[in-house]
Amino acid sequence: MTRQFFVGGNFKMNGSVKTITEIVQRLNDAKLDEKTEVVIAPPSLYLLLCREHLRKGIEVAAQNVFDKPNGAFTGEISVDQLKDSEITWALVGHSERRVILQEDDNFCASKTKAALDGGLGVILCIGESLEQREANKTIDVVTSQLKAVADRVQDWSKIVIAYEPIWAIGTGKVATTEQAQEVHAAIRKWLSSTVSSEASEKTRVIYGGSVSEKNCKDLAQQPDIDGFLVGGASLKPAFVDIINSHL
């Protein structure tokens, strides 16, 4: 089965009205691969700016979402608020939130379920630390993160799994194509045995971790890598090259 290639741009806590408007204009003007699904995730302050000015066919994601519908949760954004603003995706479980803000697997799973129940797509981030990789625990770690979601969610059709080894995020270190493909294949095998063969065949598993215009072509050729979640490079003109890496 052919899975649609997916490229997400996670701006993290970067950008201003000026620079994000320039990024949006660059994407609007670029000739992008029509077969690739493109989603950008600006800081929450700029979600509406992006949604208002981006051309049709490019979607916008929040970098975070809360698992309660409304109430006294200072600083959080609800699923309904995102939908009301025509934001169609949310990132959940990014390692920076898991590590810095101590978001555990169960909380990430609860947020994933809330987003899906409300009709959003979810870019579900998973990945291991350098210590875990060196201890040969990579597959155990990522499947444990996935199992927390599988315990709450049956329908994976609106989940995109983003495998991002923590040791490769923002470090310039990139998993080799063989390392990335090995983990992606293991994730797909786990989906088949734990969720369903349909989920294994249809769920897109994308790679993140210092993705650039220099390494994206080789990674894109791997059979179980269905796209990328791009960090720093999504702020640069090279993001267009990464989007078009599957051409």
Side-chain angles (χ1 to χ4, degrees):
M1 125 130 236
T2 302
R3 295 176 292 271
Q4 185 181 16
F5 206 69
F6 184 103
V7 176
N10 178 14
F11 296 0
K12 306 191 181 186
M13 199 176 70
N14 292 301
S16 62
V17 170
K18 179 178 183 293
T19 60
I20 288 178
T21 300
E22 289 171 351
I23 292 169
V24 167
Q25 192 60 52
R26 188 158 61 232
L27 291 172
N28 286 344
D29 292 342
K31 183 173 175 54
L32 303 179
D33 182 359
E34 294 178 356
K35 296 180 180 177
T36 293
E37 187 169 6
V38 180
V39 177
I40 62 169
S44 57
L45 190 60
Y46 306 116
L47 285 167
L48 285 170
L49 172 71
C50 288
R51 184 60 282 160
E52 182 178 347
H53 294 288
L54 266 175
R55 75 192 200 200
K56 186 178 180 182
I58 302 176
E59 295 298 318
V60 181
Q63 294 181 14
N64 182 40
V65 65
F66 203 54
D67 63 343
K68 302 293 189 295
N70 53 62
F73 304 105
T74 301
E76 296 296 336
I77 298 178
S78 74
V79 174
D80 284 347
Q81 288 170 333
L82 293 174
K83 287 190 70 179
D84 186 47
S85 301
E86 298 183 1
I87 307 303
T88 52
W89 288 84
L91 277 152
V92 174
H94 194 282
S95 64
E96 287 152 7
R97 297 192 66 86
R98 291 182 188 263
V99 174
I100 298 169
L101 299 173
Q102 299 293 296
E103 294 189 358
D104 63 20
D105 292 350
N106 286 328
F107 185 40
C108 293
S110 180
K111 294 203 292 186
T112 298
K113 185 178 189 309
L116 294 171
D117 287 350
L120 297 180
V122 172
I123 302 170
L124 175 62
C125 302
I126 59 172
E128 83 284 7
S129 66
L130 183 59
E131 294 76 16
Q132 290 165 334
R133 172 163 279 278
E134 290 178 340
N136 293 316
K137 293 181 178 178
T138 295
I139 306 305
D140 291 340
V141 170
V142 297
T143 55
S144 176
Q145 291 168 337
L146 290 170
K147 185 179 184 303
V149 175
D151 287 344
R152 295 171 184 248
V153 172
Q154 282 73 51
D155 182 3
W156 287 62
S157 63
K158 295 191 75 172
I159 295 177
V160 171
I161 298 169
Y163 168 59
E164 295 196 297
I166 298 170
W167 49 272
I169 298 174
T171 62
K173 296 179 181 178
V174 185
T176 64
T177 54
E178 292 79 15
Q179 286 174 323
Q181 167 59 24
E182 179 184 18
V183 178
H184 282 233
I187 290 168
R188 209 169 294 291
K189 182 179 178 182
W190 179 89
L191 285 169
S192 179
S193 63
T194 307
V195 182
S196 69
S197 58
E198 181 182 23
S200 176
E201 291 172 8
K202 293 183 177 180
T203 302
R204 289 171 291 182
V205 185
I206 64 176
Y207 173 78
S210 297
V211 176
S212 72
E213 73 280 11
K214 296 175 182 176
N215 57 37
C216 61
K217 283 276 191 185
D218 287 342
L219 288 163
Q221 299 307 311
Q222 300 303 306
D224 291 299
I225 296 180
D226 303 314
F228 304 110
L229 183 58
V230 186
S234 67
L235 303 166
K236 303 172 183 177
F239 187 46
V240 171
D241 298 323
I242 298 171
I243 292 169
N244 291 333
S245 61
H246 207 230
L247 284 170

